[in-house]
């Protein structure tokens, strides 16, 4: 019975092409992922070369965050999969995406996901699923200590400045944060949400914050 339920929610097919064996991405779909060439370690954007300065952040990075990792550009196959995982709440897509989350090589003490927005529809939360996978891989706790203090407007139609104002003070931290944390979210655009979350962690005692994302918008 348990096996039948597992196969129903996580079918043994590639969650993108639905033809090759799964449940993770098949080799063809994996190769189609839009990887970031020469990613900036300060903001996750694409550099012109490994040694070129970042034209997106001028090597200044994101506020309150020491280092950024992003796996893919939010286009094509990656955008399709994240749409299935978030809007469609499809467990197979969530599982396939979780294993793509970049993990740091430096030691950390805990994984902390950016929490879901208040009032979101019921169902799996992609950032939380990714954080739990990362915690399992790195053998550190996944701590759900960030809380939203209020409802914020949706970010996607706001300017960069308005995004920062919209999420300023949005998060609070319950208790004391570990000294070295990995902050997890699904999509990085302006970085305003991640910076607001990191600000709350700093106030709660975090000394080094690495942020990791599945996707960076071009």
């Amino acid at each position: 019975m348990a096996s039948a339920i597992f196969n129903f929610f996580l079918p043994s097919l590639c969650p993108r092409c639905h033809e090759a064996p799964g449940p993770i991405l098949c080799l063809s779909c994996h190769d189609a992922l839009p990887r970031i060439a020469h990613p900036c370690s300060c903001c996750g954007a694409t550099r012109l070369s490994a040694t070129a300065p970042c034209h997106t952040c001028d090597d200044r990075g994101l506020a309150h965050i020491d280092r950024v990792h992003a796996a893919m550009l939010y286009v094509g196959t990656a955008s399709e999969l994240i749409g299935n995982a978030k809007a469609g709440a499809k467990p197979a897509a969530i599982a396939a995406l979780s294993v793509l989350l970049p993990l740091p090589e430096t030691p950390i003490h805990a994984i902390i996901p950016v929490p879901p927005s208040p009032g979101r529809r019921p169902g799996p939360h992609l950032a939380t699923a990714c954080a739990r996978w990362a915690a399992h891989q790195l053998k550190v706790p996944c701590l759900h200590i960030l809380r939203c203090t209020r409802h914020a407007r949706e970010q996607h139609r706001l300017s960069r400045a308005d995004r920062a104002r919209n999420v300023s003070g949005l998060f609070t931290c319950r208790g004391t944060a570990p000294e070295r944390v990995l902050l997890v979210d699904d999509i990085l655009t302006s970085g305003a949400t991640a910076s607001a979350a990191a600000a709350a962690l700093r106030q709660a005692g975090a000394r080094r914050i690495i942020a990791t994302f599945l996707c960076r918008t071009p």
Side-chain angles (χ1 to χ4, degrees), residues 1 3 15 18 23-24 33 37 43 45 71-72 98 103 111 113 116 122 147 172 182 189 191-193 207 209 211 216:
M1 179 65 177
S3 177
H18 307 292
I24 62 173
L33 293 171
C43 75
M72 306 167 283
S98 295
L103 299 179
I111 314 287
R147 295 289 183 272
T172 186
L182 181 66
T189 301
T193 300
R207 300 289 298 276
I209 300 174
R216 180 72 154 90

Side-chain angles (χ1 to χ4, degrees), residues 79-149:
S79 175
E80 177 187 338
L81 282 169
I82 286 188
N84 288 337
K86 297 183 71 169
K90 294 183 178 180
I94 292 172
L97 284 167
S98 295
V99 302
L100 300 174
L101 187 76
L103 299 179
E105 297 180 357
T106 56
I108 57 166
H109 298 144
I111 314 287
I112 300 176
V114 173
S117 303
R120 72 178 290 272
R121 75 177 81 181
H125 182 239
L126 181 55
T128 299
C130 289
R132 289 172 177 164
W133 176 84
H136 176 73
Q137 294 298 308
L138 297 177
K139 296 178 172 56
V140 296
C142 180
L143 304 179
H144 301 274
I145 58 177
L146 284 174
R147 295 289 183 272
C148 290
T149 61

Side-chain angles (χ1 to χ4, degrees), residues 9-173:
F9 286 106
L10 283 178
S12 56
L13 292 175
C14 170
R16 179 179 178 267
C17 68
H18 307 292
E19 296 176 357
I24 62 173
L25 291 178
C26 67
L27 183 60
S28 177
C29 290
H30 186 274
D31 289 345
L33 293 171
R35 299 291 185 178
I36 300 175
H38 313 302
C40 172
S41 62
C42 300
C43 75
T46 301
R47 293 177 184 262
L48 295 178
S49 71
T51 57
C54 179
H55 66 279
T56 300
C57 75
D58 294 325
D59 295 333
R60 290 176 295 185
L62 305 181
H64 311 294
I65 294 173
D66 296 292
R67 191 174 181 87
V68 170
H69 298 282
M72 306 167 283
L73 290 173
Y74 187 49
V75 295
T77 303
S79 175
E80 177 187 338
L81 282 169
I82 286 188
N84 288 337
K86 297 183 71 169
K90 294 183 178 180
I94 292 172
L97 284 167
S98 295
V99 302
L100 300 174
L101 187 76
L103 299 179
E105 297 180 357
T106 56
I108 57 166
H109 298 144
I111 314 287
I112 300 176
V114 173
S117 303
R120 72 178 290 272
R121 75 177 81 181
H125 182 239
L126 181 55
T128 299
C130 289
R132 289 172 177 164
W133 176 84
H136 176 73
Q137 294 298 308
L138 297 177
K139 296 178 172 56
V140 296
C142 180
L143 304 179
H144 301 274
I145 58 177
L146 284 174
R147 295 289 183 272
C148 290
T149 61
R150 55 181 166 80
H151 286 268
R153 296 165 60 194
E154 291 188 3
Q155 293 275 79
H156 66 277
R157 294 181 179 176
L158 301 180
S159 68
R160 180 176 291 270
D162 286 340
R163 284 171 182 256
R165 284 190 289 267
N166 185 46
V167 297
S168 178
L170 180 61
F171 300 102
T172 186
C173 191

